[in-house]
Amino acid sequence: MKKLFLLVLISSIGIMDSFAVQIWNQKASFGGIARHRTTSFSIGNKGYMGLGHYNSGPGGNIHLADFWEYDPASDSWTQKADFGGGPRYHAVGETYGNKAYVGTGRSIGGILNTDWWEFDPVANTWTPKATFPGTERRGAVSFLMDDYIFVGTGQIPTGYTNDFFAYDVISDQWLSGVAVFPGSARTSAVSFAIDNKGYVGTGGVGCGTTDFYEYKL
């Protein structure tokens, strides 16, 4: 029993020591202008961020279309081709292999969108793909499972939704019949995938929620 206690104590000290040396290091500031409600993803060993808007100061509500690449090796930002669908915010973005897919979101004039674009970082090009089949929206979520990108929830013209659709990257087709998100209809939730399962939670309308759900095929 004493040996077990000693082992636990040593393990606990090791964990505390590992946390004690963790630090945050400030890196090069984002290369574009300040904004919020951006879209981001990673491809290989580089990160990408763009779109978004700012709604204060001179000019009022400004929508942005620029995209930037972050290279952690050189701690530097490089501007890439502007998003093919034009300025917007609250879009979704997801990576598959060595390419990324971005769509939906709100553009100038309060227009909600259903377009879907493929980004090739090598060619530095945006290519239009099959249009998202659901109601136009912003503040949706996305996650990757197998060869499918799942997109759902968000704010639509009539309010909020909890529907979901799956994009088949290989065939460039959208599939219906995905189970509806069991939580309340919402916008601005978070999502990610682990071990071929999708997770969605928080977000909401007004004060937001704390619920969390797992999706599996």
Side-chain angles (χ1 to χ4, degrees):
M1 188 68 179
K2 290 182 179 179
K3 290 182 179 180
L4 177 60
F5 175 77
L6 181 60
L7 178 61
V8 172
L9 179 60
I10 293 173
S11 299
S12 299
I13 292 173
I15 293 172
M16 288 188 290
D17 286 345
S18 66
F19 279 112
V21 299
Q22 289 186 2
I23 57 175
W24 286 93
N25 289 319
Q26 185 171 2
K27 310 301 287 185
S29 296
F30 173 63
I33 65 173
R35 66 194 67 193
H36 65 167
R37 292 173 176 168
T38 58
T39 300
S40 63
F41 49 83
S42 61
I43 301 176
N45 60 353
K46 295 180 181 178
Y48 297 84
M49 189 176 86
L51 305 182
H53 76 138
Y54 64 90
N55 50 3
S56 62
N61 191 12
I62 304 300
H63 296 59
L64 302 161
D66 56 335
F67 249 91
W68 296 74
E69 175 188 86
Y70 176 70
D71 184 348
S74 60
D75 187 25
S76 62
W77 291 90
T78 303
Q79 187 168 4
K80 309 301 286 187
D82 284 358
F83 175 60
R88 70 184 61 185
Y89 66 90
H90 245 173
V92 297
E94 200 67 49
T95 301
Y96 178 86
N98 60 355
K99 295 179 181 178
Y101 297 83
V102 175
T104 68
R106 183 175 182 174
S107 56
I108 297 171
I111 297 173
L112 300 177
N113 297 279
T114 58
D115 54 346
W116 192 245
W117 295 77
E118 178 187 81
F119 175 65
D120 183 336
V122 176
N124 192 27
T125 56
W126 292 92
T127 303
K129 308 300 285 186
T131 301
F132 175 71
T135 305
E136 59 268 33
R137 66 194 62 197
R138 69 179 178 108
V141 296
S142 65
F143 55 84
L144 176 69
M145 291 174 57
D146 291 328
D147 296 325
Y148 302 97
I149 296 174
F150 291 80
V151 178
T153 68
Q155 183 176 2
I156 61 177
T158 56
Y160 302 89
T161 184
N162 57 358
D163 60 357
F164 255 89
F165 299 85
Y167 175 67
D168 185 335
V169 180
I170 304 301
S171 65
D172 185 30
Q173 293 181 336
W174 288 91
L175 309 177
S176 59
V178 178
V180 172
F181 176 66
S184 59
R186 67 191 62 192
T187 185
S188 306
V190 295
S191 63
F192 50 83
I194 301 175
D195 294 333
N196 212 36
K197 296 177 183 178
Y199 296 87
V200 177
T202 69
V205 180
C207 62
T209 64
T210 59
D211 56 352
F212 206 69
Y213 293 85
E214 176 189 87
Y215 174 80
K216 58 184 179 180
L217 294 172

